[in-house]
Every structure is written in C-alpha cells, then in structure tokens.
Amino acid sequence: MKRNKTIRIVLFVLLSLGWIFIITFNLGPFGSLGKLTTYKTGLLSVPLQSDGIQKIHSDQKLDIYVDNVGIPHIYSGTKSAAAYGLGYMHAKDRYFQMEMISRIVQGRLSEFLWAGTLKSDKFWKPYEFEQKSEEILASYKKENPEFYAYLQAYSDGVNAYLDNNENTDPLYKALGATPRKWKTEYSLLFTWYMSYTLTYFDHHIEQQEILEKLPGQEITYFYPLQPKGINTILPSGLIPSSTNLPNIGAHTLGTASVDNSPEESSLFDLGAKLMTKHKFNQGVGSNNWVVNNTRTKSKNNILANDPHLYLTLPEAFYEAHIVTGSFKAYGFTIPGVPVVVSGHNDKISWGITNGEWDLVDRYKLQVKNDSLYLYEGKWIPFQIKNYTIKVKGKADFIEKYRSTVQGKVIKEENGQYYAQHWYAAEKSNSVKAMYEVMKSQNWDGFSTALKDYSYPPQNFAYSDVNNNIGIVCAGELPARNSDYIGQVLDGSKKYTPVKALDAFWSAYNPDKGFLFSANQQPIQNNVYFGAHGSKDDYRAKRIYSVLEGKKDWSVPEIQKMQSDVVDISLNDFKTLLNNYPVKQKYSSIVKELKNWDGNMSGEGNQGLVFEMLRKASLEEAKEFAKTRLQVKQEPSLQNFLKYLNDKKYTLPGGDNKQKIVDAIFERTQETLTQTYGEQWKNVAYKKMSKFNINNMLFIPGLGEKVDNIGGNVNTININSDKFHPVFRAVYEVKDGNIQAHTILAGGQSGLINSVHYKDQIESWSKGQYKKSQFVSNPAKLERIINTIKFN
C-alpha cells in the first residue's frame, strides 16, 4: 500500500511539473501556452462573427450576400462601390494575412511580431518597397484617376470593416496587438511578395560552374538550354542546332551554396520559414489549359486552371463575385488586392501559371579590404546605407546594407563577393494590368491589357464567348546580351542597366484546338528565358498527350484530368529495365513496376515503390554530378535517365552504367526496408504521399493533415515536398453565361474560429467541385447565410 501511494505521489508531481512546463512554455511572439489558451486572454476569448442581416451606414451603396462556403456576392451600382465591398470582405475574413504580407514586403514584420523575424526584415527592407509603392500610387493619381479611385475605394472598404467591427481574429488577441489602418498603397506591395515566391531564383553560381568545367557537348547533353522535342507553350519558330556558349574566362568559383536565404532553425523562426527556398530547376509548378468548341461535347470552350504554391491556412487566394451592371467578375482574388487574378467576366475567362523566367543576375566582384571593389580599373567603395528595423520589445536593429552599381552585395561562406540584381524588385504595373483584364471583353482588350503587365511573369490562358482561345506569356524579360545563358557576370566591367525586351509572346486560335502551360519553355528561339532545359518536363508532356488524345471533352472529364496522378517518367524507367539486367535480389521491385501503368494513386504498393525508385535515382544523379561531372548541380532526372539508356554516348573515359543502375536499385531497396521494414511490399503509397498544411504562423494544432492524396512532382495533380494546387477551377465559356466549377485548398476565412477556416479541404482532396453562382439578379442566389447592406 505504502509503495503504491508513493508511486501515485511521484506520478502526481511529474504530471504537475509537466503541466506547469507546458502552460509556461514560451511560444515565441505569443508568450506562454497558458496565456494563449485561457478564456480571458487567449484564442478562446474572441467572439464568433454573427450571421444574418447587417445594415451598415456608408457613403457607398451596395449589398453583399455571403453563401454557405463564405463566398461574397457583391452587388453595387459602380466599380468603386464593388471595390469597397471586396475590401470590406477581405478585411473581414483575411485581415491578419493582409497585414502580415504587407509588413513582410515593407521589412516591418519584427515590430509587429518579434526578433525572430529579423532575417525576413533584413532581406526586404533595403529594397525600399514601401517608398516605391507610394510613388507608384502617386503616378496613378495623376495619370490614371479611374484606377486610383478604384484602389482608394478598396482601401476605404478595408478600413470601414476595421473601424466598425470588434476585432474577431484570435491571432491578434494572442499577440496582444490590434490591426493597423490600411493604406491604399499597401495593395501594390503584393506584386513584390508574389514576385519573390515566383521569380527569386539564383542558380547562377551553379550554372557558371557547369559552363566552366564541362565541354560544350556535355553541357548540351546534360544541361541543354534548348532541348529538342519539348512541348513549348507557344508554337516555336527557330530550333537551334547548337548552343552559342559565351566566353566564360578562367576564374575559379567558390563552393558556397547558391541560395543565401536563411535556413529554418526552429519552429518559430518565422524569418527563415517565410523565406521559402526553391531553385529554378525545381519550380513551383501550376497548370492551365484551354480547349475550344471543336474539342468539347457541349461545343463550348472550357478553360482549366490549378496554380501550385506553398500551402498554408489560410492559403493565398480568396473567391469572390462582383456585379455592377456593366462590370461583372468572378474568380480568385489575393486578399489585399482588388482584382481577380484567375476567373472570368461575362465575356472572357482567364487562368494563370508562373512564367518561371530568370530575373536574377549575379556579378563576381574583386574586393579589397572588405570595402572596395574593382570597377572599370578603379577601386571604389561599396555604397553603404543603414536601415532602421524596429523590433517588438527590443531596441531598434540597424541593418548595414552594402551595394554596388549592379545591386546588393552578397558575401558567400568561402569569402567570395558577388553583387546581385533582381529585376522584379523594380516598379510594376501588374495590378493595374489585371484591373484592365477584368474589364476586357475580347482578345484585343485582353492582350492589350497584358502588354502593360510587369512582374511576376505569368502565362495567361484565355477563352471567350465567341469560341476564341489564346495564351499570353506576359511580363518583362531583361534584354540581356545575346551570349547570356545564366552565367555569372564580371562585376569589374562597365555596368549598363538592362531594359525590358521589346517583345510580346502570344498564340491565338491554334489549329490543334487547345493550348496549355505548365511552366515550361515559352518558345524555342534565341531568347534566354532561363534554364528550362535543365528541368524535367514530364508534367508538360502528360498534359499535352492527354489533351491531344481526346476530342470530346466535358467539364467532368476536365475536372478528372486536374486530379490526374499518372507519372510518365515510368516509361524511362521501363526502358532502363529493358536495357539492363537487374540482380535477383531486386526482383521484387522490378516485378512491381513492369506491368504497372504509372498511376500514383494512394492505394496500392506500386506508387510507393516507384516513388522510392525515383528519389533514389535523383540521389544517384547528384552523386554522378559530384564524382563524374564534378559539378554541384545534378542533371535533371530526365537527362540522367536519357544518359543511362543511351547506348551510343558515354563520357570520355567511359562509364560503368550497369554499376550506376545497380546503385539505384540498391539505394531503393535499402530505403524501402529502412523506412517500412521487410513488409514494405504490403505498404500502400498513401503512407508516403500524405502531408501537412500548416497555419501561416506554423502554430501547432492549427493546420490540417491530408492523407492519401496520391500523385508526385511529375503528375498533373502535383504533390511535392512543398507545393500543391492551391485551387482548382474549370470555366465553361458559353454565350449568355460562363459557368465556373471551383475548389479552394482550405477555406475562405483566415480566422481560426470560423467554420470557413478549412471547410473545403476535404472536397479539395477528393476533387469535389462546387458550381459558382454567377447571376446578375441577387434574388436568384442560393444558400445565402449572411447579408450585409450598405447605405
């Protein structure tokens, strides 16, 4: 008895100490877990938003009808009143997200959160985007008063919500903060935020090493700039037979990592987590395609779009519907910006994918005394500017920013200095261009609007009610020298600012009756867009082959295609199996794959085995690059398998390709056994293909687990380590009405206490679409749960 009593006392003490530790554990900017969870001060203390009918006094006259998934249907007499309503709803559902992103781009996150976000502020502050946004807005006020008034009305709507409603976002409460007033120019900041996510690739040191160390034939074979047989976005006119390699010089490169964005170090090191790392040849994805009426059962054009980004809760997009009489729009907006970036009006529809153009230049510097750099034969000092970064609860931090005539100074770990120029950091008219797209009624208006589009470069698929289809590769591409192919430039030579290339890339009503983009090379010509030949194009080939193979598409079949999880890289592996004998001990792997069709569904074992094989091959490609090519950048999986399957070509000195193939299967089997034990043959792919969608602040418990999603990085329904479809949309374009079918990966609301925080995740994971309500008469709307009237 005494012994049992002692055990109970010890357990009680341990549990008490554990509980004390848990509730006092500091969660970065939120303070203790106990403070975060108490009813009086924490997340539970915030009241829920009420539904029903609300009447609000305002200078603007409009009505907003919110349906059962949180989509606002905004009806007004003017475009400005519609913008006001959209601003009101963005603030209602996503203001914390809006403030976070605007502060990130301004380099003012640490004053709002804590010192853990200094890495982010140190990156962003010196670009002076806060000042640039003010200057752009001032130019609109003078030169485009209509658009300026539209932006101003949106800002007024945001602040109307903040002024007239109790703060209902638990995250503000947890931080002990209140929302700041929205300024009109903040809407222009989001262009640079998206440009960072979609254009900030700096692969040039690795590219330089390839160009220096490898002969021309090996560069063309393993790292081609213009590979034959690729499906470009636009019809290609010129297919070069050889690559014009520049004169690189004989200097030696450093060994530091090419990406100088900070590593993740802890759960709440948001400065690192918000600086998502990705290389050019590991792009973020996105699909769009459009088929005309000659290839559909209904004889109506169908346009599909599913952008791929890093998924968080809330995610990047917000669905909305605007009706002002002559001005109607439906689709996906970005909270903070009053334009539809993918959607339709009553005459046209459009969808986006990332252009994935190379918009970064690197310059190698010769530096003396850590303060002077050689430029045109003279040693001149770095330009130095100090930026004050305010930090919550701490003294101001002074960021000493060094730059040259080319751009910001980067000192790599090996001591080598570079200057970097990021073209997308320049001023942009992209928000205004998207406003003009929303108003467009035909191809001429649409394409003309996109001639003014700057950053980030995007591929815009197009369809209209007159059965026309098209695609525009829009954005500003630097007019670099003709011998530029991504190498490091000489920082000692005279620098001349590079203007945008005077060119416009588009296709209209192609003979095949369809167009698509999947972030591949826009066109085969002598223009350098980036190292697209160093990427796998399995996804693009799959889209092309599926579209080409069918002439009677329906909306449900297009929806099914968006969820396609077939990886056609399997064909290259099957060739490998035919070309090389495989040891008996790997026969189980071969048996699983030989009669399989590449369908990476979560059920079944083949997907698991194949994904392990694919990843093992990538690891062997890295080893091959390091030991055989003696460069850091591995060739794409496609080019590596091409080499292994090529019976005519081998590297000088020869290669034991059989040994490489054996190593791939050895690594595959070892990984399978180490991960899943000897019973790996009984494990379904869903054990591997699951992932987590995190809360935007990475708060434990506020994310969502997604199981059995299937697919991988090569499939149309992309499922990679980082990127997934953030929404799926299919627009059937017919005269008199354009019908949208959509799914959002998450929910409309960013409020963790809202029913719309993640209510669409299950539908998204299962590919279950909802039909939009694009009607001119609000009386025809269905499933309305909240009405807001302004008068």
Side-chain angles (χ1 to χ4, degrees):
M1 287 289 293
K2 187 175 181 181
R3 184 171 178 270
N4 289 339
K5 184 177 181 180
T6 302
I7 292 173
R8 286 198 298 269
I9 292 172
V10 170
L11 286 173
F12 175 78
V13 171
L14 290 174
L15 288 171
S16 299
L17 290 173
W19 177 248
I20 292 170
F21 172 78
I22 289 171
I23 65 173
T24 58
F25 178 74
N26 194 296
L27 291 172
F30 299 103
S32 71
L33 185 61
K35 180 181 177 183
L36 191 66
T37 56
T38 60
Y39 185 81
K40 184 176 181 181
T41 61
L43 302 180
L44 300 176
S45 66
V46 180
L48 296 175
Q49 293 179 341
S50 59
D51 293 330
I53 298 177
Q54 298 171 267
K55 293 184 178 180
I56 298 173
H57 178 70
S58 171
D59 293 336
Q60 299 282 6
K61 296 187 183 302
L62 67 149
D63 296 326
I64 302 176
Y65 303 87
V66 183
D67 66 25
N68 64 327
V69 289
I71 299 171
H73 303 265
I74 303 167
Y75 291 80
S76 66
T78 66
K79 290 190 287 290
S80 290
Y84 181 95
L86 185 59
Y88 187 93
M89 291 304 300
H90 277 172
K92 179 177 181 292
D93 289 327
R94 300 282 192 95
Y95 193 74
F96 186 85
Q97 179 186 34
M98 292 163 61
E99 179 165 353
M100 279 280 291
I101 293 175
S102 61
R103 284 184 175 275
I104 287 171
V105 180
Q106 290 174 327
R108 295 180 61 182
L109 197 57
S110 298
E111 69 181 70
F112 177 59
L113 293 179
W114 69 320
T117 56
L118 260 176
K119 289 179 180 178
S120 174
D121 287 344
K122 287 163 66 176
F123 172 84
W124 288 97
K125 189 80 170 181
Y127 284 111
E128 299 181 351
F129 291 136
E130 189 168 5
Q131 178 182 336
K132 289 177 182 177
S133 67
E134 293 170 354
E135 292 170 353
I136 296 172
L137 183 65
S139 69
Y140 289 151
K141 184 176 182 179
K142 181 179 179 181
E143 300 167 8
N144 198 312
E146 177 196 327
F147 181 56
Y148 175 82
Y150 184 80
L151 289 176
Q152 185 65 53
Y154 175 82
S155 181
D156 291 342
V158 172
N159 289 318
Y161 178 79
L162 299 178
D163 292 341
N164 294 294
N165 290 273
E166 182 181 358
N167 176 24
T168 57
D169 194 321
L171 295 182
Y172 279 107
K173 187 76 171 181
L175 289 166
T178 56
R180 70 172 178 177
K181 185 179 177 66
W182 187 261
K183 294 184 178 180
T184 308
E185 63 268 19
Y186 290 175
S187 292
L188 305 175
L189 296 169
F190 286 67
T191 295
W192 291 299
Y193 180 79
M194 296 306 294
S195 290
Y196 171 78
T197 303
L198 300 174
T199 75
Y200 194 74
F201 309 107
D202 190 348
H203 62 290
H204 302 84
I205 293 177
E206 292 168 327
Q207 178 75 353
Q208 175 76 17
E209 183 181 47
I210 289 167
L211 296 172
E212 280 190 346
K213 289 187 175 181
L214 299 182
Q217 182 180 3
E218 291 171 20
I219 295 172
T220 302
Y221 194 95
F222 290 104
Y223 307 96
L225 284 173
Q226 302 279 9
K228 295 180 180 179
I230 63 172
N231 298 121
T232 55
I233 297 172
L234 310 176
S236 297
L238 174 65
I239 302 179
S241 58
S242 62
T243 303
N244 181 25
L245 298 176
N247 182 10
I248 298 301
H251 60 267
T252 303
L253 292 169
T255 59
S257 169
V258 70
D259 193 315
N260 57 271
S261 58
E263 295 281 353
E264 296 183 11
S265 58
S266 67
L267 180 63
F268 286 100
D269 191 355
L270 291 175
K273 284 183 174 290
L274 294 169
M275 306 286 285
T276 303
K277 296 169 63 174
H278 44 268
K279 297 180 181 179
F280 184 90
N281 66 321
Q282 296 170 339
V284 294
S286 296
N287 304 316
N288 64 19
W289 61 84
V290 58
V291 294
N292 70 12
N293 64 323
T294 67
R295 301 184 74 97
T296 64
K297 288 180 181 177
S298 65
K299 303 306 176 184
N300 299 315
N301 293 355
I302 302 176
L303 188 149
N305 191 198
D306 56 312
H308 307 151
L309 295 171
Y310 183 77
L311 266 185
T312 61
L313 291 174
E315 58 117 299
F317 292 95
Y318 181 93
E319 204 164 348
H321 176 206
I322 293 171
V323 177
T324 68
S326 61
F327 179 65
K328 302 179 180 72
Y330 187 100
F332 293 92
T333 64
I334 296 174
V337 189
V339 296
V340 173
V341 295
S342 174
H344 64 87
N345 56 32
D346 56 341
K347 297 295 183 183
I348 72 169
S349 66
W350 62 95
I352 55 171
T353 66
N354 186 27
E356 216 163 303
W357 299 354
D358 184 354
L359 297 182
V360 173
D361 286 344
R362 274 258 185 168
Y363 296 82
K364 187 172 184 178
L365 303 176
Q366 298 179 50
V367 175
K368 184 167 65 176
N369 300 329
D370 205 40
S371 60
L372 304 173
Y373 70 103
L374 186 65
Y375 182 68
E376 290 196 287
K378 298 179 181 178
W379 292 99
I380 62 176
F382 289 137
Q383 301 164 32
I384 297 175
K385 189 171 182 178
N386 292 328
Y387 291 89
T388 300
I389 300 174
K390 295 187 178 299
V391 183
K392 185 178 181 179
K394 291 190 175 183
D396 294 351
F397 179 86
I398 306 300
E399 169 69 1
K400 183 180 179 181
Y401 179 76
R402 299 184 296 180
S403 62
T404 67
V405 294
Q406 300 96 348
K408 75 174 182 179
V409 172
I410 297 172
K411 184 180 181 181
E412 297 288 3
E413 292 175 0
N414 66 337
Q416 177 60 54
Y417 284 85
Y418 296 90
Q420 183 198 71
H421 186 86
W422 179 32
Y423 292 93
E426 297 164 8
K427 293 180 182 178
S428 169
N429 287 313
S430 295
V431 177
K432 176 180 172 293
M434 290 308 304
Y435 173 70
E436 298 298 331
V437 164
M438 288 171 62
K439 296 176 1 182
S440 300
Q441 298 290 291
N442 51 42
W443 171 257
D444 287 343
F446 176 80
S447 57
T448 299
L450 289 176
K451 288 179 180 178
D452 200 31
Y453 183 91
S454 312
Y455 306 110
Q458 296 287 290
N459 307 305
F460 290 85
Y462 168 90
S463 177
D464 65 33
V465 296
N466 295 316
N467 298 322
N468 300 303
I469 66 171
I471 201 163
V472 175
C473 302
E476 294 189 358
L477 184 69
R480 299 175 171 114
N481 290 337
S482 59
D483 66 348
Y484 183 81
I485 54 174
Q487 69 270 26
V488 174
L489 301 170
D490 187 347
S492 68
K493 294 182 178 180
K494 180 176 176 59
Y495 171 74
T496 303
V498 179
K499 297 181 180 180
L501 197 64
D502 185 18
F504 186 72
W505 295 279
S506 66
Y508 185 63
N509 287 338
D511 293 338
K512 284 185 175 291
F514 69 86
L515 289 162
F516 81 100
S517 70
N519 319 106
Q520 75 272 37
Q521 179 90 6
I523 189 170
Q524 289 273 49
N525 58 16
N526 282 329
V527 176
Y528 173 77
F529 290 93
H532 287 272
S534 296
K535 303 189 305 181
D536 292 326
D537 70 342
Y538 293 120
R539 178 165 54 94
K541 287 183 182 299
R542 174 64 177 170
I543 293 173
Y544 181 86
S545 64
V546 173
L547 289 174
E548 187 181 42
K550 190 173 177 61
K551 294 185 178 181
D552 58 346
W553 286 100
S554 67
V555 167
E557 289 168 329
I558 291 286
Q559 293 172 352
K560 185 178 180 181
M561 181 177 166
Q562 285 189 319
S563 294
D564 182 82
V565 289
V566 172
D567 183 355
I568 65 170
S569 71
L570 173 67
N571 297 330
D572 289 341
F573 282 100
K574 285 187 173 182
T575 303
L576 199 73
L577 295 175
N578 290 329
N579 286 340
Y580 293 92
V582 179
K583 294 180 180 179
Q584 179 62 33
K585 62 179 179 178
Y586 308 134
S587 60
S588 296
I589 297 174
V590 175
K591 182 180 177 181
E592 290 292 324
L593 301 180
K594 273 209 165 181
N595 297 315
W596 182 53
D597 62 0
N599 191 320
M600 300 288 292
S601 66
E603 306 298 336
N605 180 241
Q606 293 99 330
L608 178 97
V609 174
F610 180 71
E611 187 66 0
M612 286 296 192
L613 177 65
R614 190 186 67 81
K615 290 190 172 183
S617 301
L618 287 171
E619 291 301 314
E620 290 301 324
K622 291 177 183 178
E623 188 66 22
F624 176 79
K626 179 181 176 182
T627 59
R628 195 66 181 86
L629 300 177
Q630 297 186 327
V631 296
K632 289 186 287 294
Q633 176 62 53
E634 71 274 12
S636 68
L637 176 64
Q638 203 162 345
N639 289 329
F640 183 53
L641 293 176
K642 176 185 71 174
Y643 177 69
L644 294 179
N645 285 319
D646 193 335
K647 297 179 180 179
K648 296 180 179 179
Y649 176 74
T650 191
L651 292 175
D655 263 324
N656 187 339
K657 295 184 181 182
Q658 177 71 60
K659 186 176 180 180
I660 297 174
V661 173
D662 289 342
I664 289 173
F665 282 92
E666 176 71 26
R667 186 188 291 269
T668 302
Q669 184 139 310
E670 282 183 359
T671 308
L672 283 167
T673 304
Q674 290 170 4
T675 308
Y676 301 106
E678 295 295 336
Q679 300 301 312
W680 57 263
K681 297 176 210 173
N682 300 320
V683 179
Y685 180 49
K686 62 185 177 182
K687 285 285 187 180
M688 186 179 184
S689 65
K690 59 187 179 181
F691 61 92
N692 293 326
I693 304 177
N694 291 309
N695 169 265
M696 68 180 299
L697 290 183
F698 300 91
I699 302 173
L702 299 184
E704 182 74 7
K705 292 182 178 179
V706 180
D707 294 319
N708 199 16
I709 200 69
N712 67 4
V713 70
N714 291 328
T715 58
I716 296 176
N717 187 16
I718 196 168
N719 180 9
S720 72
D721 293 337
K722 290 184 177 180
F723 304 111
H724 306 88
V726 287
F727 69 77
R728 298 189 191 96
V730 177
Y731 309 112
E732 185 175 18
V733 182
K734 48 190 174 182
D735 200 6
N737 183 40
I738 298 179
Q739 180 64 64
H741 306 259
T742 65
I743 326 174
L744 197 64
Q748 283 282 95
S749 180
L751 305 177
I752 62 174
N753 58 340
S754 169
V755 295
H756 303 307
Y757 178 60
K758 52 184 178 182
D759 59 329
Q760 295 184 56
I761 289 180
E762 184 176 358
S763 298
W764 171 82
S765 63
K766 293 180 178 179
Q768 297 172 342
Y769 293 70
K770 59 186 184 293
K771 287 181 71 172
S772 69
Q773 301 189 76
F774 185 62
V775 295
S776 298
N777 183 357
K780 294 184 178 180
L781 292 170
E782 299 176 350
R783 303 178 300 280
I784 299 303
I785 62 173
N786 190 19
T787 302
I788 309 171
K789 293 182 174 292
F790 298 81
N791 50 53

